[in-house]
Amino acid sequence: MNLILLGAPGAGKGTQAEIISKKFDIQHISTGEILRDEIKKKSKLGEKAIKFVESGKLVPDEIIIEIIKKIIGSRAKNGFLMDGFPRNLKQAKMFLKVLDQLGIKLDRVINIIVDNNEVIERLSTRRTCSVCNNVFSVDSDEDNTECPKCRSKSIKRKDDDPEVIEHRLEVYEKESRPLTDFYTGEGLLVNIDGSGNEKEITERILKFL
Ligand code: AMP
């Protein structure tokens, strides 16, 4: 099964992608996660990407397209779930072309819808474990919170700072929102209410899979 998850930053794509990809044993591909790993490793790709990622801008399409071509051609044999890709129409059109060349069909595009105020609240209290990458939320905006899973130190992503969040939401509206019309036109889009707890949202998604 080949899926794309769409939604604003903080809509819960990462959490749902983990759950759904495990359930169907398909590969979870998060371009944001790949870029953050490259930045951590200080690789050439990471060095090119860091200024875009930390300021909430989109990384240039050419860089993203190369990453995706490599992964789709080599690793995603059993199907995939894209999280954070495509982010604009150019990427979406290129992706359809690449899939077509490989004889791969997209099954569904799931669009998780969450109110902007809720997104801002979720992102400003979001923390990521520096060791196991667990993503969780904290009650107040304090630093140095322990990961509830492995007790290691957690970090706040630089792009979850309030000014950057605002910019990411603007980028989402301008660049990524048009994807919903594009995939509606392809007959692939399903809209999911992203309010409520993780389990409720997963159940809503599963009804379409
Ligand atoms: P995410 O983890 O999906 O919120 O992505 C974090 C950041 O990585 C984004 O704000 C962008 O700077 C960059 N990024 C992730 N995916 C893409 C993509 N498909 N195209 C361009 N930039 C991306």
Side-chain angles (χ1 to χ4, degrees), residues 91-108:
Q91 293 181 10
K93 289 179 184 167
M94 175 286 303
F95 191 42
L96 279 189
K97 229 189 233 170
V98 171
L99 291 179
D100 203 38
Q101 282 162 2
L102 294 167
I104 298 174
K105 194 172 80 47
L106 267 181
D107 293 297
R108 278 254 187 273

Side-chain angles (χ1 to χ4, degrees), residues 130-209:
S130 55
V131 175
C132 74
N133 277 341
N134 178 30
V135 178
F136 58 98
S137 64
V138 290
D139 292 337
S140 61
D141 200 15
E142 79 248 12
D143 278 327
N144 296 321
T145 317
E146 271 186 2
C147 167
K149 266 195 190 156
C150 76
R151 303 276 154 221
S152 305
K153 191 171 169 275
S154 71
I155 48 165
K156 179 172 177 162
R157 275 169 53 173
K158 283 218 172 93
D159 58 347
D160 282 345
D161 277 343
E163 322 79 72
V164 186
I165 291 175
E166 205 174 300
H167 183 59
R168 286 167 70 203
L169 290 174
E170 283 166 14
V171 170
Y172 171 76
E173 283 302 326
K174 187 162 166 261
E175 301 278 338
S176 308
R177 178 82 76 189
L179 292 174
T180 55
D181 283 344
F182 176 75
Y183 286 119
T184 302
E186 296 288 323
L188 291 169
L189 194 88
V190 291
N191 285 313
I192 298 286
D193 172 9
S195 61
N197 66 38
E198 271 174 40
K199 223 172 147 204
E200 287 167 334
I201 303 165
T202 307
E203 276 163 17
R204 286 179 207 138
I205 295 175
L206 289 178
K207 284 194 187 133
F208 290 96
L209 302 180

